[in-house]
């Protein structure tokens, strides 16, 4: 079974297939083979036990998929992480802004960080139908971050801006985003 086939199977096993949380987890898991290096894990940073808990909680009946997902997880863990990556910092940022202290908030933080290591818009790398579902997910699970992103900056850019601000690294070319020559890149329409 390849990744293209996996997402519909996961959603067929889902208790709530239309929830943004379910869609994001299914997409992150299914798109694992399309990511590079250690980010090819179904959800990077989750141990086997936690990955099983994701399946039981969100995709009951998906037990036949466990061996495949664990193979992907083990193969990804064998890959060396790049010398510089922001994965752990991004997980910490998300967890610091989680709306509820539930186990699935941790899983979602790891899924979002995993998808952030891929190359497309975050909603695409989470396998979501559009940015609307990503915004709904952020509003429900990471409300404080959604509130901080009042200008509706693209999420990956917003996350990295938050990380740079926390590290006191200036990233904007001007004192205000509105005056920045890259405004359209950060706030423009996504295709």
């Amino acid at each position: 079974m390849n990744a293209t086939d996996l997402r519909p199977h996961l959603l067929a096993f889902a208790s709530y297939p239309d929830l943004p949380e379910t869609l994001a987890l299914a997409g992150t898991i299914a798109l694992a083979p399309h990511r590079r290096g250690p980010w090819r894990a179904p959800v990077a940073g989750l141990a086997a036990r936690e990955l099983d808990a994701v399946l039981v909680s969100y995709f009951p009946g998906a037990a036949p998929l466990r061996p495949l997902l664990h193979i992907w997880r083990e193969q990804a863990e064998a890959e060396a992480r790049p010398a510089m990556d922001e994965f752990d910092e991004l997980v910490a940022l998300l967890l610091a802004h989680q709306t509820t202290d539930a186990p699935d908030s941790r899983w979602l933080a790891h899924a979002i960080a995993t998808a952030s290591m891929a190359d497309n818009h975050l909603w695409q790398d989470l396998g979501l139908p559009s940015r609307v579902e990503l915004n709904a997910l952020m509003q429900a699970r990471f409300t404080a971050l959604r509130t901080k992103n009042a200008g509706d900056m693209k999420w990956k850019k917003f996350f990295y801006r938050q990380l740079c601000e926390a590290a006191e690294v200036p990233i904007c070319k001007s004192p205000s985003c509105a005056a920045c020559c890259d405004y359209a890149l950060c706030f423009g329409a996504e295709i």
Side-chain angles (χ1 to χ4, degrees), residues 32-74:
H34 299 284
R35 295 186 294 267
R36 293 183 303 272
W39 319 122
R40 291 176 61 105
V43 180
L46 295 187
R49 187 183 84 244
E50 290 177 293
L51 183 57
D52 286 343
V54 169
L55 293 176
V56 168
S57 297
Y58 276 86
F59 310 102
L65 301 175
R66 283 184 185 166
L68 174 64
L69 299 184
H70 286 295
I71 289 170
W72 289 356
R73 188 187 63 75
E74 290 169 7

Side-chain angles (χ1 to χ4, degrees), residues 24 30 35 60 71 88 108 115 119 126:
R35 295 186 294 267
I71 289 170
D88 295 328
L108 288 161
D119 298 326
L126 285 167

Side-chain angles (χ1 to χ4, degrees), residues 58-164:
Y58 276 86
F59 310 102
L65 301 175
R66 283 184 185 166
L68 174 64
L69 299 184
H70 286 295
I71 289 170
W72 289 356
R73 188 187 63 75
E74 290 169 7
Q75 289 173 342
E77 284 183 354
E79 297 273 345
R81 281 177 68 170
M84 289 187 61
D85 70 58
E86 303 82 12
F87 181 80
D88 295 328
E89 291 84 0
L90 186 50
V91 169
L93 172 72
L94 289 159
L95 291 176
H97 292 87
Q98 65 187 343
T99 306
T100 61
D101 189 22
D104 63 340
S105 293
R106 176 176 151 69
W107 307 335
L108 288 161
H110 278 266
I112 291 168
T114 300
S116 292
M117 299 296 118
D119 298 326
N120 298 308
H121 294 295
L122 183 56
W123 65 269
Q124 293 169 324
D125 290 328
L126 285 167
L128 295 172
S130 73
R131 194 163 192 262
V132 171
E133 291 80 9
L134 175 56
N135 286 336
L137 171 64
M138 295 304 294
Q139 180 64 41
R141 294 313 193 105
F142 305 97
T143 309
L145 281 176
R146 178 65 184 116
T147 302
K148 278 184 174 183
N149 192 4
D152 205 26
M153 181 182 279
K154 291 177 179 122
W155 280 106
K156 286 184 185 179
K157 289 187 181 289
F158 175 78
F159 292 150
Y160 288 96
R161 182 179 180 135
Q162 294 299 301
L163 295 177
C164 287

Side-chain angles (χ1 to χ4, degrees), residues 1-14 26 59-62 65:
M1 176 179 303
N2 64 36
T4 308
D5 298 328
L6 186 59
R7 189 171 186 274
H9 286 296
L10 283 169
L11 291 175
F13 291 125
F59 310 102
L65 301 175

